[in-house]
Amino acid sequence: MKRFAQLIEELDRTTRTGEKVDALSRYFGQADPADAVWTLRVLSGRRQRRIVSGRQLRIWAAEWAGLPPWLVEESYSVVGDLAETIALLVAGDAGGVERPLHRVMEEDVLGLRGLTDEELRGRIRTRWSELGFWEAFVWHKLLTGAFRVGVGKGLVLRGLEKATGIPRTTLAHRMAGEWEATPEEWARITGPEQEEDDLARPYPFFLAHPLEQEAEALGRMGAWQVEWKWDGIRGQVVRRGELVAVWSRGEELVTSSFPEISKAAAALPDGTVLDGEILAVDRHGESPIPDTPKVRPFSDLQRRLNRKRVGPGLLRQVPVHFLAYDLLEAGGTDLRTLGTADRRRRLEALLGDAAPLVGAGITASPLLEPTDWEEAASLRERSRELGVEGLMLKEASAEYGVGRTRGPWWKWKVDPLSLDVVMVYARAGRGRRANLYTDYTFAIHDGEELVPIAKAYSGLDDGEIREVDRWIRDHTLERFGPVRAVEPDLVFELAFDGIRRSSRHKSGIALRFPRIARWRRDKPAGEADTLDRAEALLRIGPDSPPSPTARVEELSLFDAADP
């Protein structure tokens, strides 16, 4: 347990990716398999069921420390992390009692299930008398099922790859599906490579840079392949031997989330790897883009993400489709050194031959054929009404590279939408920003009333954050736990990528990926935008029905959607 706590401390004390990878590699290289497999399970996002509530911990910690509950609540609002707050209140200074992590998990986490509240309180108080700060911090996170410490699954895979020498895509494939935290599973995950590992492995994704210069600077229009930039999740479909695997750009194996794509891919020729976009679609709607299904909003696709099993109801409600725009392997031959246009011709031929078998689950994305950059710009301006994000520009002769290489691929996205909004609520951040108010709720005018429309926490620089924080503290009207209602005086320009109706907001509208574009110091609150203005923006894009279960502002795998 001490070694695991030391790892968490190392990860917490640095923001450098390389240092985090090194810390994980050292740990996995030295830890006992029985402990290492639990660390892998916990850090890779395999959450355990919550054993104790945060409220129970705060009450018992107040009793332990001899403090009034309100003071513990205040401490929590300042520290910003419950596990850290409780650890500061209860941990001793003797350095903790050493017990292996697997015993802590089996006896002091899973072993507490089914206890009465009084039995649970007694066991927790006993452990508090034995734990140092970092051990207590880690244990509280395990108990509450909220183990988020600044490392994602991708970072864990990089650390494990460095420790074992096994490619992270192989490790990701081995870690897919259900597995228990046992030494036997650790041996399976980190053991010698098998033939099926190669069969499942995707290629590194080639990524595009945002186009920041004039498009004309790229030269002759005919030297570029032009496509729509789709609003979905970038993915690769691998079909080798009897195996089908679907990978996201973040090297997440998402085969189980999209069974209809897997079924269609099984009809592809052996030795095929496609690069493309996973999209939520309306099978019965008419698409404004010829030869494609009607694409539904990204928020609908979110309902399909991170699911080990997709039930028949959700399959009917949110069908998905794979639009392929590149062929990386055919007949087992790596095609990445061929030019973009050559690979595209081979893709069209392959999918044309396989169409009767593949069905409607996988098709080629359409190409655009503008005669000059002016016509390309006109196409880009139509993006929102067509339900896409802009254009992709790919050099026709370019090989398929690795990572984000400037030059061969560009994403020419449509400019974001914006509204001038008024700050009405503020909440302190987490971690290193726990003492600053950095999470804001914004509203727009609806007659004489201000109605909330979005939350945002990015876009201001450090100096502006500190200035806004001071203003919030001086202009608080009410407090609701960690949230402060503030005088509705500050105006900000909020940029966002999409807008749709939503029952989750009093305004009836939700924004996709809202972020602060600038602080409008020049504008009084009375001149901020209105609900009528937001309603007008709704009419810019294609009509789509509201999805009451979709959480538009909380993005899942959002980065994976952007090549």
Side-chain angles (χ1 to χ4, degrees):
M1 179 66 165
K2 279 188 177 180
R3 182 66 191 90
F4 179 59
Q6 288 168 3
L7 170 65
I8 300 305
E9 181 179 5
E10 288 183 68
L11 296 173
D12 182 72
R13 290 189 185 281
T14 182
T15 59
R16 296 180 180 272
T17 298
E19 292 178 0
K20 289 178 185 284
V21 171
D22 288 344
L24 289 161
S25 176
R26 286 193 299 272
Y27 176 88
F28 287 127
Q30 300 168 3
D32 182 271
D35 286 350
V37 71
W38 269 113
T39 300
L40 184 62
R41 186 175 179 88
V42 169
L43 293 186
S44 61
R46 303 270 178 158
R47 294 181 62 184
Q48 300 297 323
R49 191 179 70 185
R50 187 179 70 180
I51 305 300
V52 59
S53 71
R55 181 175 179 274
Q56 287 174 306
L57 281 180
R58 293 196 295 274
I59 291 172
W60 296 338
E63 294 173 354
W64 175 274
L67 298 173
W70 68 264
L71 187 53
V72 174
E73 295 290 344
E74 287 293 316
S75 300
Y76 175 30
S77 68
V78 171
V79 173
D81 184 283
L82 177 63
E84 183 179 356
T85 303
I86 305 301
L88 288 168
L89 290 171
V90 305
D93 56 8
V97 177
E98 175 56 13
R99 298 171 70 220
L101 176 62
H102 70 276
R103 283 190 56 196
V104 171
M105 293 300 305
E106 292 160 4
E107 299 172 9
D108 296 330
V109 179
L110 304 182
L112 301 185
R113 290 178 177 172
L115 298 184
T116 65
D117 283 358
E118 194 56 35
E119 290 170 334
L120 189 60
R121 174 177 173 272
R123 290 281 293 274
I124 287 175
R125 288 173 65 91
T126 298
R127 292 294 288 142
W128 278 345
S129 66
E130 301 171 347
L131 296 176
F133 170 78
W134 280 101
E135 290 89 347
F137 172 75
V138 167
W139 186 50
H140 296 148
K141 286 191 172 291
L142 294 170
L143 286 174
T144 57
F147 209 99
R148 295 184 293 275
V149 290
V151 292
K153 185 177 179 181
L155 207 61
V156 175
L157 286 171
R158 288 178 60 179
L160 190 58
E161 177 184 50
K162 187 171 183 179
T164 63
I166 299 172
R168 73 191 77 161
T169 52
T170 297
L171 295 168
H173 182 245
R174 293 179 180 184
M175 289 166 58
E178 290 297 330
W179 51 274
E180 298 297 325
T182 65
E184 292 75 22
E185 288 287 9
W186 175 258
R188 178 187 65 80
I189 292 169
T190 62
E193 289 199 62
Q194 306 294 325
E195 182 179 357
E196 58 267 25
D197 295 329
D198 287 328
L199 294 179
R201 187 174 300 160
Y203 291 102
F205 283 85
F206 192 32
L207 307 176
H209 270 277
L211 184 65
E212 296 171 346
Q213 76 249 44
E214 293 295 327
E216 289 82 356
L218 298 179
R220 186 172 57 89
M221 178 83 261
W224 294 88
Q225 179 174 293
V226 183
E227 309 168 25
W228 294 116
K229 188 183 185 308
W230 300 97
D231 188 15
I233 293 172
R234 181 85 178 276
Q236 283 185 29
V237 170
V238 178
R239 163 74 167 90
R240 299 190 186 108
E242 298 301 316
L243 183 141
V244 171
V246 183
W247 295 87
S248 77
R249 196 197 79 176
E251 295 183 347
E252 295 275 352
L253 192 63
V254 294
T255 314
S256 60
S257 296
F258 307 111
E260 57 265 70
I261 294 177
S262 304
K263 182 179 178 180
L268 292 169
D270 186 13
T272 298
V273 179
L274 306 177
D275 183 16
E277 202 87 3
I278 301 169
L279 300 163
V281 297
D282 179 356
R283 295 289 185 200
H284 305 292
E286 183 177 350
S287 173
I289 300 176
D291 302 321
T292 63
K294 183 178 181 181
V295 178
R296 294 169 62 168
F298 185 81
S299 53
D300 288 345
L301 183 61
Q302 286 180 284
R303 298 173 59 191
R304 295 288 301 270
L305 301 180
N306 302 320
R307 291 179 179 266
K308 297 182 179 69
R309 180 182 177 277
V310 181
L314 192 53
L315 285 172
R316 289 192 304 271
Q317 294 167 22
V318 188
V320 297
H321 187 88
F322 189 84
L323 272 185
Y325 40 68
D326 217 324
L327 179 62
L328 310 185
E329 181 180 319
T333 300
D334 184 349
L335 305 180
R336 292 177 298 161
T337 57
L338 300 179
T340 300
D342 194 354
R343 297 195 309 273
R344 174 68 194 206
R345 285 191 291 271
R346 294 171 185 244
L347 171 69
E348 292 175 350
L350 182 145
L351 290 181
D353 292 341
L357 298 175
V358 173
I362 301 175
T363 56
S365 65
L367 293 182
L368 304 175
E369 298 181 351
T371 57
D372 53 33
W373 290 113
E374 184 178 354
E375 185 178 348
S378 296
L379 287 169
R380 172 177 170 265
E381 290 302 314
R382 295 187 59 206
S383 294
R384 278 205 175 84
E385 66 181 83
L386 299 177
V388 294
E389 296 185 320
L391 299 180
M392 291 294 300
L393 309 175
K394 300 178 181 179
E395 193 172 17
S397 61
E399 297 181 359
Y400 188 96
V402 174
R404 202 179 297 277
T405 303
R406 182 177 290 274
W409 282 20
W410 300 97
K411 50 187 178 184
W412 193 14
K413 296 177 69 171
V414 68
D415 295 332
L417 299 169
S418 68
L419 287 168
D420 289 338
V421 296
V422 181
M423 180 193 294
V424 289
Y425 300 110
R427 181 171 182 153
R430 299 287 181 178
R432 291 172 176 80
R433 287 185 168 180
N435 293 320
L436 293 170
Y437 285 91
T438 61
D439 297 2
Y440 316 122
T441 299
F442 298 104
I444 54 179
H445 293 285
D446 181 16
E448 298 298 318
E449 186 181 6
L450 280 169
V451 292
I453 189 170
K455 297 179 181 180
Y457 52 86
S458 63
L460 299 180
D461 61 34
D462 289 343
E464 289 173 323
I465 287 173
R466 288 191 292 270
E467 187 177 352
V468 171
D469 177 78
R470 289 192 296 271
W471 185 92
I472 289 168
R473 296 175 189 275
D474 292 339
H475 296 82
T476 296
L477 298 175
E478 293 182 78
R479 300 185 63 173
F480 310 97
V483 177
R484 294 192 181 205
V486 298
E487 295 176 14
D489 289 336
L490 298 191
V491 177
F492 298 84
E493 181 183 339
L494 208 61
F496 48 95
D497 290 345
I499 182 170
R500 66 174 302 162
R501 298 196 182 280
S502 169
S503 59
R504 292 185 57 243
H505 297 271
K506 191 173 181 181
S507 63
I509 290 173
L511 309 181
R512 175 162 176 210
F513 192 26
R515 63 273 191 193
I516 299 169
R518 58 176 172 149
W519 183 354
R520 293 298 308 268
R521 300 172 188 265
D522 60 317
K523 198 165 203 176
E527 295 179 10
D529 279 318
T530 65
L531 186 57
D532 287 342
R533 162 71 175 151
E535 294 274 358
L537 292 179
L538 273 171
R539 295 189 287 274
I540 291 177
D543 292 335
S544 57
S547 177
T549 60
R551 303 192 65 174
V552 177
E553 294 171 1
E554 297 179 15
L555 303 180
S556 175
L557 290 180
F558 181 75
D559 287 341
D562 205 351

